[in-house]
Amino acid sequence: MEALQIDSETFVVVMTGAGCSAESGIPTFRDSNGLWEGNRVEDVATPRGFMKDPQLVWKFYSERRQNVKKCDPNPGHLAIADLEQRLGDRFLLLTQNVDDLHERAGSRRIVKMHGSLFRTKCSKYMTCPHSVVDREEYHDRVPTCPVCGAAARPDIVWFEESLDPNFFDIYTNFFSRAQREGKHFYYVAVGTSGNVMPAAGLVHEAQLMGAEAILVNLDLATNALGFDRVERGKSGELLPVLFGCK
Ligand code: OAD
């Protein structure tokens, strides 16, 4: 496989999905047929589900926290962190994953588009901005916001919710800089089925700004035809080669 041309004028955006963490032992979404650990998506990943049964939602996310704590970053995560080390601020990682494996691999220039499994926020976050890093588990009780007393919830973007508006500024500024200053600009999507917007549409925006778009995925993603190059296989095996890691 041909490695990216990395030099002092190379800019890279990596966008990861659940497939990137699959080799670490974290199940992907589409493999589970819309049923998450036996729960309906509407019950555990929507604001209405949380209002109906917050204890069920916390039990579900506490189990996911427990599982992620037992998993380690794989060679794909490490290759992404290694590339960031070499490119510095000419690198940006966008991830749809709510685990912390990128951070534990050493990634720092990272935008967590769908939130974090290890942050807790106030359920009334429109009016109460309380949000903290939280690695505790709540199997038998629902934590409350220390500021306003409302129920606290996982800081995850659920279905029917919007992404943080800062996200759009961050990636559009980076794409513009890459177009202006970069000799090579690569957009690399990793382990994502291309089903969920806006992540699935970023490939077109990057191409409009001059990026060469590469997909690294086990199966053909829904939006695979939109990429300039498709590398089928496991990200833990392909990324170290693609990124020319020593
Ligand atoms: P999906 O579960 O939809 O897709 C995972 C993709 O990873 C599939 O296309 C697999 O072929 C691929 N894959 C599996 N193992 C792989 C490996 N070892 N190396 C490379 N690719 C591999 O996950 P996402 O696309 O991340 O949103 O799902 C997007 C969003 O849908 C999630 O962030 C989540 C869900 O709704 C929220 O929770 C808001």
Side-chain angles (χ1 to χ4, degrees), residues 137-155:
E137 284 142 26
Y138 305 98
H139 294 286
D140 308 315
R141 70 185 174 92
V142 175
T144 49
C145 172
V147 177
C148 75
R153 56 164 274 187
D155 191 353

Side-chain angles (χ1 to χ4, degrees), residues 27-46:
T28 62
F29 293 94
R30 309 298 149 201
D31 291 342
S32 52
N33 294 325
L35 272 184
W36 292 353
E37 311 292 329
N39 295 290
R40 295 187 322 155
V41 171
E42 307 85 276
D43 291 339
V44 293
T46 63

